Amino acid sequence: LLRSDGQAVAFGENEDNQCWVPPLPPGQRYVAAGAGLAHTALLRSDGSALAFGGDPGDGRCRVPRLPQGLSYVGLATGRYHTVFVRSDGEACAF
C-alpha cells in the first residue's frame, strides 16, 4: 500500500521477504506499487524501480538495468511476474 506521504507498507505472511520495504533515499517517494503471489514491486519518484521477495536466494528480485537516460514510468504485477514500462515506451518483464 502507498501512504499519502510517499512511503510504502506491506504486510502478510512474508515467507519470501515480500513484505520488506526498504527505506527511501532523502527526497524520494514511492509512486506505484504492485504485488504478486510472493513478490512486491515499487516505483520511486526518481524513475527507479525495485522488487523483492520470490527469489529463493536473497529475497531480492532482479530488476532489469536501464540504459542511461531512461527511467521507469509504470508497473504491473501478476501472480508470478512483473512488468515495468520504461520512459521510451518499451516494457521489460521478469
Side-chain angles (χ1 to χ4, degrees), residues 23-85:
L24 280 164
Q28 293 295 314
R29 301 173 60 85
Y30 288 118
V31 296
L37 178 66
H39 73 288
T40 300
L42 295 167
L43 187 63
R44 293 182 183 143
S45 55
D46 67 353
S48 64
L50 60 150
F52 41 91
D55 180 11
D58 62 7
R60 295 177 190 244
C61 301
R62 305 296 187 258
V63 176
R65 294 188 72 146
L66 284 168
Q68 189 167 350
L70 294 182
S71 61
Y72 287 114
V73 296
L75 72 85
T77 53
R79 186 176 177 124
Y80 299 112
H81 69 283
T82 296
V83 178
F84 284 109
V85 179

